[in-house]
Amino acid sequence: MTSTHSHQQPQGMSRRGVLGAIATGLVASTALGGQAYGAPPACPPAESAGERVRQHLRALDAVAARHGGDRAAGRPGFEHSARYVERRLHAAGLRTRRQPFGYPRTDFVRDTVEQIRPQRREVIHFPAHGLAASPDGGHIGELVVPRDPFGDAADSWEGIDARAKVALLQLRPNTLRGARQERRTGCHTGDGPSGHQRIADDQTAMARRALVHARAADVSAVLFYLDQFDFLIGLFFDAPGDTGLPPAAAVFSSAATALRQDMDAGGATVRVDLELQERQVDTFNVLTVPPDITAPRHLFGAHLDSVPAGPGIDDNASGSALLLDLALSPTARAGRRAQFCWWGGEEDGMRGSRHFVATEPLKLVRGYFNSDMVAAPNYVISVYGDGPQRHYTDHLAAIGLPWLEGPVDGMSDQVPFLEAGIPVAGIDTVNSAPARLKDDHEAAIFGGVAGQPFDPQHHAPGDTLSNISTTALGICTTASHAALRATTR
């Protein structure tokens, strides 16, 4: 799932989901990723489906292990993941084609902001692009603020010892209204209360002035925030001399408040270790070729790439494996109304699905169904869409399983189709916010552990085969087969 540091709150269960939960008399499990439904009749086939898809996950996990520990677009793990998918499809007599494309990518070589005193905790952040890298090993420094909260005036640091310290600076809120673009990046990255990174030219200019003054004061790194707003500001610097400015990142207002409280209580120390590297990515989508390319069809898709930081088995080998199970099913092979798409570059901003929408004829596409993160260990079942999601929810209601209504514009590959006016739907197990903590209500409905993330290994090296729930995978698989049957009959 595209990473945007998104902690979206659940939008509540659908009315059918509530009725289904009442009808089955839910029994919450205390085991992470455990059975959340007592023993409703649908669970054995769902678990069987989950185990069938798990066989593909084993193969993709092994691919990552053999090729550098990841399956990121443009890297060997992605190429060999695609070869596995293609081999299975070709063995079943299905035709495929690769749709190549390329784009520039910023790799996060080092990406750490953490508080180490008076308590140790990670600080969710988004690194600013185009600035200097941290020294090897990063920089540990006391947190400091200037005379004014913004640090963009010539006298902001007058009389303050900021040498080798980390500055906490506020961005001016009125500049946000001058934003000229809004960047939406792919899958659920990091995680905070919003899925959008808003970029304002004048906001970047103000931040540049603050960084110039911070450098003059010998500040080693800077953390920016927008007061009372918990979304991440994307700051992109490209003017001459920007690469000589101190490394910087944007943090949530709530994180800044917590840091200020610790500063006021006796001081706070943070570690900042940031290094970004620009590179060109050449990658591709894998598409099945419909038997009749002139017939109207529905598209079923999942992104095949991981982030460079890990193997991405929940995010999103799980959706890719589910999609392969659909494509190999008797329903798909007997019909002529479905096309299956494994996207590349989703983690870099839904690049593959955006390329498809921009270059392929869409007049025959009747709808798009997305599978992204369908096996989170501390799962909920989330369904989203602008109409076609009924094919998932009718199935879940029929077998008495609950679901949450997720955001239709969550950060995954349905977004380009939604923007193009194609009806969309999707299913996931993180409600479009993989690092958000499960609340008590969700734990009572779905089981698992309240107060823990839906996916504690999201975008991390630990997103391996051990980081999935076969139960959640089975529920999403059977619901997806129901959607495929409904759209191809």
Side-chain angles (χ1 to χ4, degrees), residues 89-90 93-99 286-300 327 331-343 356 360-362 364-367 484 488:
L89 294 171
H90 296 166
L94 298 173
R95 296 167 56 211
T96 67
R97 66 181 175 98
R98 291 188 176 189
Q99 183 187 36
V286 176
L287 312 172
T288 59
V289 178
D292 182 357
I293 61 173
T294 66
R297 59 189 179 273
H298 285 80
L299 304 184
F300 290 77
T331 301
R333 296 173 66 185
R336 308 170 77 83
R337 299 181 181 177
Q339 183 177 16
F340 301 91
C341 312
W342 287 264
W343 310 118
F356 182 96
E360 293 286 313
L362 301 178
L364 295 175
V365 177
R366 295 295 179 258
L484 178 63
T488 56

Side-chain angles (χ1 to χ4, degrees), residues 433-454:
R436 186 175 65 77
L437 305 184
K438 176 177 278 190
D439 62 31
D440 291 337
H441 175 68
E442 292 161 341
I445 295 170
F446 297 98
V449 180
Q452 293 296 316
F454 297 135

Side-chain angles (χ1 to χ4, degrees), residues 25 47 73 94 100 139 144 146 159 227 241 243 319 327 356 362 374 393 411 416 421 443 456 461:
E47 290 172 350
L94 298 173
H139 179 84
V144 64
D227 191 37
T243 55
F356 182 96
L362 301 178
V374 293
T393 57
M411 305 311 294

Side-chain angles (χ1 to χ4, degrees), residues 42-58:
C43 281
E47 290 172 350
S48 174
E51 182 54 38
R52 188 175 64 241
V53 177
R54 188 181 172 100
Q55 295 175 10
H56 300 312
L57 293 184
R58 293 190 186 101

Side-chain angles (χ1 to χ4, degrees), residues 59-108:
L60 294 173
D61 190 53
V63 163
R66 289 194 301 267
H67 298 284
D70 70 87
R71 299 179 306 99
R75 295 165 68 121
F78 181 83
E79 169 66 33
H80 288 273
S81 295
R83 292 182 188 180
Y84 173 77
V85 169
E86 290 166 335
R87 282 197 305 270
R88 295 303 302 261
L89 294 171
H90 296 166
L94 298 173
R95 296 167 56 211
T96 67
R97 66 181 175 98
R98 291 188 176 189
Q99 183 187 36
F101 60 95
Y103 57 91
R105 176 170 75 197
T106 301
D107 284 344
F108 295 76

Side-chain angles (χ1 to χ4, degrees), residues 189-206:
T189 294
D191 292 52
S194 171
H196 297 168
Q197 294 163 5
R198 298 176 185 268
I199 302 134
D201 290 348
D202 51 351
Q203 199 159 38
T204 301
M206 187 281 292

